[in-house]
Amino acid sequence: MPSRNRHVIAVVLLVPVLAALALWAFAWPASRIAPRDLPLGVAGPPAAAAQVEKQLERHEGAFEIHRYADEAAAREAIRDRSVYGAVVVTRQGPELLTASAAGPVVAQFLQQAVGQQAAAGGAQVKTVDVVPTPASDPRGAALSAAVLPLALAGIAAGAVVTLLGLRGVRAALALLGASALVGVVAAGIAHSWLGALGGDWWAEAGVLALSTLAVGGAVAGLAALVGPAGTGIGAAVVMLIGNPFSGATSAPQMLPEPAGAIGQWLPPGAGTTLLRSVSSFDGAAATGPTLTLAWWAVLGLGAVLLGSSLRARRTGSEPAADRRELSAVA
């Protein structure tokens, strides 16, 4: 069979497979959004709190209940990102504390679930948003929408470095410089212009830069080790797994297992979690995602340097082998 015919058949078969994979990766998590061991606090007098906890446990597997002595402790836990919300039993009735900045979809779900539960008992729930989203982005749409552009910026950085033939230290410096500029530009747009971020400007720029570097380093590093195919592999992992599994539109605990956990080990998910912490929670619970992004960045840059070193050794050994062959013939 001529090679051109094989290429046509490969395209005809490969494109539907890629389309099916992309549809599964994006549609499956979105169609299965529901709480799975979602951290939720319960506070108030022991007897009343135990009753609320028992009612919440009827949602089997939905909540991971944390008990707190009073409302102040529950609020502190929300600000520390230990829980997404809390039900506080008061003399005036149940009160729901939420944090829409941690995920508007989660806050909305808690209002519906706790509100319906209270209505069944003939009570009304007062809702207090302890850590709200910025007024300029009440639905958190801008932050969620930033995941894809940052992923594309990282992929573009890694691909351009590869296409231009940059290697070793030059490639690493190019990735570092491009990522730093992306962080500054993105913070300028998201924070200064759109008002979608409300934390320290430079800290947010650093998170955006580190997220870009983690992706760009991974793409360029794979390309340095395995060749041009590495660019496609890195881009596919980020776009088809990292992006839809990031939990940016909801929360990791709202995605089907193990998508939420996998997403937090990839740059888009870790970057989203870290950006939320820095933007609205004064950096609370930032250690884990920071280490994840740093790990990706270090491994990626290390792979870039290693690939350049291996290539230099190969090219250096070829002339030596040619000289030995010529001397043997002579």
Side-chain angles (χ1 to χ4, degrees):
M1 181 182 294
S3 60
R4 290 185 179 180
N5 292 340
R6 289 198 297 269
H7 291 165
V8 171
I9 295 175
V11 170
V12 171
L13 295 177
L14 183 60
V15 171
V17 170
L18 291 176
L21 179 60
L23 183 61
W24 166 81
F26 282 86
W28 173 59
S31 64
R32 298 292 187 272
I33 289 181
R36 296 167 177 85
D37 292 327
L38 184 75
L40 179 65
V42 175
Q51 184 176 359
V52 171
E53 184 175 346
K54 183 179 294 186
Q55 293 173 346
L56 291 172
E57 288 176 349
R58 294 175 183 174
H59 302 273
E60 186 175 353
F63 301 111
E64 179 185 279
I65 304 299
H66 297 251
R67 291 285 292 271
Y68 299 101
D70 51 28
E71 181 177 344
R75 285 175 175 265
E76 187 65 23
I78 292 174
R79 294 191 183 97
D80 289 340
R81 303 208 69 183
S82 298
V83 293
Y84 282 90
V87 180
V88 182
V89 181
T90 67
R91 294 180 179 179
Q92 292 75 27
E95 181 179 77
L96 174 63
L97 306 179
T98 63
S100 58
V105 171
V106 179
Q108 184 179 7
F109 169 80
L110 290 177
Q111 291 179 36
Q112 294 174 350
V114 177
Q116 291 175 357
Q117 181 175 296
Q124 291 185 346
V125 178
K126 175 186 176 182
T127 301
V128 179
D129 198 345
V130 177
V131 187
T133 54
S136 301
D137 186 27
R139 293 185 177 87
L143 188 147
S144 300
V147 177
L148 180 59
L150 285 176
L152 290 175
I155 292 172
V160 169
V161 164
T162 302
L163 290 174
L164 292 179
L166 297 177
R167 300 186 183 90
V169 176
R170 288 185 178 181
L173 290 176
L175 289 169
L176 287 168
S179 299
L181 287 177
V182 168
V184 170
V185 171
I189 294 174
H191 184 119
S192 303
W193 179 32
L194 298 177
L197 304 177
D200 180 79
W201 196 94
W202 286 107
E204 292 165 354
V207 172
L208 295 166
L210 183 58
S211 299
T212 305
L213 180 61
V215 175
V219 171
L222 283 171
L225 292 178
V226 303
T231 302
I233 295 172
V237 170
V238 171
M239 293 301 298
L240 297 181
I241 300 178
N243 193 39
F245 290 7
S246 67
T249 58
S250 54
Q253 294 85 355
M254 297 289 285
L255 299 179
E257 297 178 352
I262 293 174
Q264 292 306 295
W265 283 102
L266 296 174
T272 300
T273 300
L274 182 57
L275 187 59
R276 279 177 170 156
S277 293
V278 170
S279 173
S280 301
F281 296 88
D282 294 326
T287 303
T290 300
L291 291 176
T292 299
L293 291 176
W295 183 250
W296 276 95
V298 169
L299 286 180
L301 295 178
V304 168
L305 297 175
L306 177 61
S308 177
S309 177
L310 293 176
R311 182 182 180 88
R313 289 182 181 180
R314 287 196 299 268
T315 55
S317 62
E318 289 174 0
D322 292 341
R323 288 194 298 268
R324 285 195 298 271
E325 291 179 1
L326 289 174
S327 61
V329 170

